[in-house]
Amino acid sequence: MDKSEMKKAYKQSKRPMGVYRIKNCKNDRVFIGFATDLPARFNRHKAELKFKSHRNSELQEIWNSFGESAFEFEIIDLLDYKENNKANANEELHVLAEMWVERLKNGGDSVVYLKNR
């Protein structure tokens, strides 16, 4: 497979989409977000945090204080491709993420919702 075929195959591949949690295991602070491409979003968060340029200043401050080893990145809910297409997926994911924020807050977790920008 040549480079252009690999690029085309990647673009056509279905990436997992859903709601994720970034948890600081030292202070139990939880950050909730969603993405249509979860692996890419995790990579983006980690890169921004490592280069001290994350959009969420609270998350960046906690990362700076505790370091990478204090954090867990976890997918907590997946959105099925069969039921949704990418056109309305962001809307569905937004609602799903808000439900998770409420569920976790009601369970006593200290939660920050990382709204997509």
Side-chain angles (χ1 to χ4, degrees), residues 99-109 111:
M99 289 170 48
W100 271 102
V101 168
E102 288 306 311
R103 180 184 296 170
L104 293 170
K105 280 183 178 178
N106 291 338
D109 286 328
V111 179

Side-chain angles (χ1 to χ4, degrees), residues 46-68:
K46 289 176 183 178
E48 288 180 357
L49 289 163
K50 286 177 185 177
F51 290 112
K52 299 183 186 218
S53 62
H54 199 276
R55 300 163 190 231
N56 184 288
S57 58
E58 181 182 357
L59 178 56
Q60 184 68 64
E61 187 176 313
I62 295 170
W63 179 276
N64 295 345
S65 297
F66 293 98
E68 181 176 1

Side-chain angles (χ1 to χ4, degrees), residues 33-50:
F34 67 88
T36 55
D37 185 341
L38 288 164
R41 182 59 53 92
F42 283 173
N43 287 337
R44 178 177 153 194
H45 279 301
K46 289 176 183 178
E48 288 180 357
L49 289 163
K50 286 177 185 177

Side-chain angles (χ1 to χ4, degrees), residues 83-112:
E83 297 173 13
N84 300 285
N85 61 37
K86 263 195 167 172
N88 68 0
N90 276 321
E91 198 173 300
E92 295 284 331
L93 288 167
H94 178 72
V95 171
L96 193 58
E98 288 180 340
M99 289 170 48
W100 271 102
V101 168
E102 288 306 311
R103 180 184 296 170
L104 293 170
K105 280 183 178 178
N106 291 338
D109 286 328
S110 178
V111 179
V112 174

Side-chain angles (χ1 to χ4, degrees), residues 1-13:
M1 187 181 287
D2 70 12
K3 190 174 181 179
S4 64
E5 289 173 336
M6 287 177 19
K7 188 185 273 187
K8 184 178 179 182
Y10 174 79
K11 286 182 178 182
Q12 292 176 344
S13 68

Side-chain angles (χ1 to χ4, degrees), residues 21-31 62 66-74:
R21 170 174 48 195
I22 303 172
K23 181 179 180 180
N24 180 296
C25 300
K26 302 285 184 187
N27 68 3
D28 292 327
R29 193 78 165 129
V30 174
F31 298 83
I62 295 170
F66 293 98
E68 181 176 1
S69 63
F71 286 85
E72 290 179 350
F73 287 73
E74 176 186 17

